[in-house]
Amino acid sequence: TGVIRTALHNMDREAREHYSVVIQAKDMAGQVGGLSGSTTVNITLTDVNDNPPRFPQKHYQLYVPESAQVGSAVGKIKANDADTGSNADMKYTIINGDGSGVFSISTDKETREGILSLKKPLNYEKKKSYTLNIEGANTHLDFRFSHLGPFKDVTMLKVIVGDVDEPPLFTMPSYVMEVHENAKIGTPVGTVTAHDPDAANSLVRYFIDHNTEEDRYFTIDASTGIIKTAKIFDREETPWYNITVAASEIDNPGLVSHVPVGVRILDVNDNPPELARDYDVVVCENTKPGQVIQTITATDKDNSANGARFHFSLDEGLSLNPNFTLRNNEDNTASILTRRRRYSRTTQDIYYLPVLISDGGVPPLSSSSTLTIRVCACERDGRVRTCHAEAFLSSAGLSTGALIAILLCIVILLAIVVLFITLRRSKKEPLIISEEDVRENVVTYDDEGGGEEDTEAFDITALRNPSAAEELKYRRDVRPEVKPLSRHHPSSSLDSIDVQEFIKQRLAEADLDPSVPPYDSLQTYAYEGHRSEAGSISSLDSATTHSDQDYNYLGDWGPEFKKLAELYGEIEPERTT
C-alpha cells in the first residue's frame, strides 16, 4: 500500500487550498523490465478557525439625520475573516461609547455584517454626534489555535447627527382638560403649547383638525393655543370629548405635528331626582294601620357627587293626609304606610299621594311625584284577589263576553227590522189608479145559473151599461203632459147599443189619445152584449138531447179514460157486491 503524508509543517489553507500529487506504482520491485502505472491525487486542505476577524479600518464615520425613525437601520459595518463556513461566523456588539443607549447593532448571518439601528430619536439641537466602540468576535472557537488569538477585533464608529427642519414639538404627548357643563360659549378649557425644535425657533400656529363632529364643539386661538367652548355642554348627554390639535411653523406650514386632547365635562347639579319607575301601589280593604304597602326609590341623572343622597317627604303645603303617610328610610328609599284600619272600594277605590323628593347636591334640587294607590280585595295572607274594575263586573253578574253577546243580538234585531221595512217600502204599487173598478160590483150568490140563456137570476144592467166601464185611467209612473181628450158618449137606449160599434169607438179614442202609453195595453170593458144568434154552445144541457155520435172508442184508450167512457158510452159501470 501507498501512504500519502504531509511533507511540510503548518500548511495554511488560506495560502494554498488545493494540491495535485502524481503517484506511480511499479512491479518487480521497481527493477528494469517491470511494468508501472501512475495516477493523480488531488488534495484539498480543510479549514480550521485559525484566523481571527479583522476590521479593515480602525475608525469609521456615519451620517444620520435627526429625522430618522426609531427602529430603522441607519448603517452597516463588517469585519473580515479569512476562514470559511462556520469558522467565519461572528457577532457584533457595542462595548462602550456615549451612543450605546441610542443605537443598537445586530448581525446578518447571510452577509456577516453588523446592522446599526436607532433605539431613540435623535435631536441635532441637543447632541450633534455619538461615538461607538464596536467589537466583532468569532462564535466558534478552536482551542488548538487559541495561541493565535484573540479571535475578535474592535473598531470605533463616530455617528454625526444631521440637522433637519422638524415640525413643532408639543410640551406633552397628550392633554386632558376639564370644563363644567352648562358653561357659556367661549369659556376657556385649557392651553396647549408647542415650539420649533430647530435653531431657527420659528413661530408656531395652532388649529383643530375638524375631522369629526366633536372637533366642532371647541375653538382654539391660533397664536396662544387657548382652547374655548363653542357650545353649551350637557354631561348627561355626553360626558367626554376627544379632539386633535395641530401645530405648524409659520415659515413652513407643511411641517405639522398633532397631539390628542381629551375634554372631561364636569357635572353640575341641574337635574332633579325622580321616582325610579311607575309604581303600582295596592292597599287591601282589610289592612291595618301602620302597615307598609310599598317601598319606593329614586334616581338622579347627575353623578354621585350631586345627587346620590335622596330625601323623601310628603308635600307640606297640603293638609295632613288621613289615609296614608310616608317614612324616609335614610338609605335612598322610602316606605308608604297606612294610617287607618279599613278601606272600602265602594266608597273610594283610588287614592292619590303626592311625594316630594330632594337630592343632596349643591344647590339641592327637588321634584314632586304622585303615587296612585288602588283599593283591592285581598286574601288573608295579603294576596290580591280582585280590584275595583273586576269587582263591579262581577257584582252586576255580567262578564265581558256576556256584554258582547247582548250587543251582538241587539245589532242583529236592528238589522232584521231595517230589512223588513226596506222590503215593505220596495213593494210595487199598481201603475194605474182606477177611479172606479167595476169588479167591485160582482154579485155573489149560491144558486147555479142556467147558463147564458138564464137572464132572470140577477140584474145584468150593469154589465150591459157601457158607462159602467172606466172612462179614464191614470198611470202612476207617467205624468201626462197633455190633458186627455174628453169622451162624449152618445146617449142611446140600452137595447140599441151595438157591441162591435162600441169597441171600435173605444179603439179610436185610445189611438187618438196622446196620454195613453205608447205600448200595447189591455183595455177592459165590463159590458156583455146581446145573445148570439147561433144559440148556446154550452154542453150543460147536452145530456137531454139526442146525439148520433158514437163514444165507444173511448173504451179503447185505456184505464185513464175509463170514467169518461162510462159517461158518454154504453159501458155499464162495475158494481161491487
Side-chain angles (χ1 to χ4, degrees), residues 331-349:
D331 58 352
N332 294 332
T333 64
S335 300
I336 307 300
L337 297 88
T338 57
R339 300 194 66 173
R340 58 189 181 92
R341 182 173 298 277
R342 295 187 60 84
Y343 298 85
S344 175
R345 289 175 295 161
T346 58
T347 303
Q348 185 173 354
D349 59 342

Side-chain angles (χ1 to χ4, degrees), residues 445 447-458 536 538 540-541:
Y445 58 94
D447 297 335
E448 182 178 356
E452 294 179 355
E453 295 182 355
D454 188 2
T455 59
E456 302 298 333
F458 59 93
S536 175
S538 175
L540 296 178
D541 56 352

Side-chain angles (χ1 to χ4, degrees), residues 274-281 294 296-297 369-372:
E274 57 187 12
L275 289 177
R277 59 184 177 88
D278 294 332
Y279 290 94
D280 184 17
V281 185
Q294 184 68 53
I296 60 175
T297 60
S369 301
T370 301
L371 292 175
T372 302

Side-chain angles (χ1 to χ4, degrees), residues 192-212:
V192 295
T193 305
H195 65 278
D196 182 10
D198 299 323
N201 194 17
S202 301
L203 296 178
V204 177
R205 171 181 170 270
Y206 302 94
F207 59 94
I208 297 177
D209 280 346
H210 295 291
N211 296 326
T212 62

Side-chain angles (χ1 to χ4, degrees), residues 429-499:
E429 297 183 2
L431 298 178
I432 301 176
I433 300 177
S434 176
E435 294 181 348
E436 180 181 1
D437 191 353
V438 296
R439 288 176 294 177
E440 295 178 357
N441 298 327
V442 176
V443 179
T444 304
Y445 58 94
D446 297 333
D447 297 335
E448 182 178 356
E452 294 179 355
E453 295 182 355
D454 188 2
T455 59
E456 302 298 333
F458 59 93
D459 187 7
I460 63 173
T461 303
L463 296 178
R464 290 186 174 181
N465 186 9
S467 61
E470 297 182 5
E471 295 184 357
L472 183 62
K473 297 184 176 65
Y474 299 99
R475 287 183 54 84
R476 283 177 172 266
D477 56 341
V478 177
R479 183 175 182 178
E481 297 180 356
V482 183
K483 294 183 179 180
L485 298 176
S486 59
R487 301 175 181 178
H488 301 280
H489 303 285
S491 58
S492 58
S493 61
L494 296 177
D495 296 335
S496 63
I497 292 178
D498 186 8
V499 175

